[in-house]
């Protein structure tokens, strides 16, 4: 519970983020009141994997974060990474944030010699890697313009994670990637990202 302008406000958030891009926030002031709610809009959802020019996406996403208040789409300004929603709020008002969650390819700045010709995969805020345990020939894997990506949540894998599956015309374009943060949790094996 927060105190704003002498009014108590309760914010309740429901989400399966970072695995899914839907975030629901219920705003419940004790009485109708005007104030500002700021909702974090992550840089990756705006085509910026990290601040600066060290990393970029190979393609710009056409899908932008969408905000709705009480099921009506709202335009918003972003200040320091937050969408600014200023209005009169009443008990039970709902904010719905929808973030794009497609698989993205990330490349390093060409000045980073060791990373030239290499890609990383991201889905939402999660960076992925390929492990030898899932991909015995992982050192020969490739990504081409024809590689297709799909995702799926696996509850029985590594305490529940979303995996990325790649498929392509060539055998070495088909592989499974797991979140980078859980690699090497299924015995000693090699990894690439």
């Amino acid at each position: 519970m927060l105190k704003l302008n002498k009014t108590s406000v309760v914010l309740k958030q429901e989400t399966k983020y970072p695995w899914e891009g839907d975030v629901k926030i219920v705003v419940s002031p004790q009485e109708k009141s005007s104030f500002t709610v700021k909702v974090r809009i992550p840089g990756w959802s705006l085509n910026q994997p990290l601040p600066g020019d060290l990393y970029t996406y190979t393609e710009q996403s056409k899908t932008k974060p969408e905000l709705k208040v009480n099921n009506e789409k709202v335009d918003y300004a972003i200040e320091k990474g937050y969408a600014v929603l200023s209005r009169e709020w009443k008990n039970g008002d709902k904010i719905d944030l929808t973030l794009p969650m497609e698989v993205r390819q990330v490349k390093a700045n060409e000045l980073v010699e060791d990373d030239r010709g290499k890609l990383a995969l991201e889905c939402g805020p999660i960076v992925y890697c390929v492990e030898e345990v899932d991909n015995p020939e992982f050192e020969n894997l490739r990504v081409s313009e024809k590689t297709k990506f799909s995702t799926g949540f696996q509850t029985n894998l590594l305490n529940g994670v979303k995996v990325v599956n790649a498929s392509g015309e060539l055998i070495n374009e088909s592989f499974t990637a797991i979140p980078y943060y859980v690699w090497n949790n299924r015995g000693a094996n090699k990894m690439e990202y």
Side-chain angles (χ1 to χ4, degrees), residues 4-10 27-35 88-93:
L4 297 174
N5 303 331
K6 300 180 183 179
T7 300
S8 296
V9 180
V10 173
V27 182
S28 297
Q30 195 171 32
E31 56 190 54
K32 280 187 183 180
S33 183
S34 294
F35 54 88
E88 182 177 75
W89 298 93
K90 65 183 181 328
N91 189 34
D93 280 344

Side-chain angles (χ1 to χ4, degrees), residues 7-182:
T7 300
S8 296
V9 180
V10 173
L11 298 176
K12 181 181 176 186
Q13 178 178 287
E14 295 176 25
T15 186
K16 292 182 181 175
Y17 184 83
W19 309 119
E20 295 178 16
D22 296 323
V23 180
K24 180 172 150 180
I25 301 169
V26 179
V27 182
S28 297
Q30 195 171 32
E31 56 190 54
K32 280 187 183 180
S33 183
S34 294
F35 54 88
T36 299
V37 174
K38 294 185 177 184
V39 179
R40 180 79 174 113
I41 306 294
W44 61 262
S45 70
L46 300 170
N47 290 312
Q48 187 176 22
L50 287 175
D53 69 347
L54 183 57
Y55 297 104
T56 57
Y57 292 112
T58 59
E59 293 183 11
Q60 297 293 297
S61 175
K62 294 176 179 72
T63 307
K64 301 292 182 206
E66 182 180 84
L67 267 175
K68 292 181 180 179
V69 175
N70 297 328
N71 296 318
E72 291 185 26
K73 188 175 177 180
V74 294
D75 293 325
Y76 56 90
I78 296 179
E79 293 178 6
K80 298 182 180 178
Y82 292 85
V84 179
L85 303 174
S86 298
R87 56 177 278 141
E88 182 177 75
W89 298 93
K90 65 183 181 328
N91 189 34
D93 280 344
K94 291 187 304 184
I95 301 169
D96 291 296
L97 170 64
T98 303
L99 298 169
M101 297 295 282
E102 68 263 28
V103 176
R104 310 281 305 274
Q105 298 175 46
V106 182
K107 65 179 181 175
N109 185 305
E110 287 296 314
L111 297 175
V112 182
E113 198 171 308
D114 288 344
D115 286 342
R116 282 188 201 141
K118 296 179 181 177
L119 294 172
L121 297 178
E122 268 186 19
C123 185
I126 305 292
V127 176
Y128 283 76
C129 68
V130 291
E131 270 192 304
E132 184 179 30
V133 69
D134 298 315
N135 309 284
E137 300 292 323
F138 82 100
E139 292 171 333
N140 297 316
L141 298 178
R142 300 286 177 259
V143 173
S144 77
E145 292 176 3
K146 296 183 179 182
T147 305
K148 304 287 185 217
F149 298 100
S150 62
T151 61
F153 194 82
Q154 295 189 10
T155 56
N156 295 326
L157 180 64
L158 299 162
N159 291 322
V161 294
K162 182 190 275 188
V163 299
V164 171
N165 294 301
S167 61
E169 291 181 356
L170 303 174
I171 190 73
N172 63 349
E173 290 179 351
S174 297
F175 58 87
T176 298
I178 63 167
Y180 179 76
Y181 76 89
V182 293

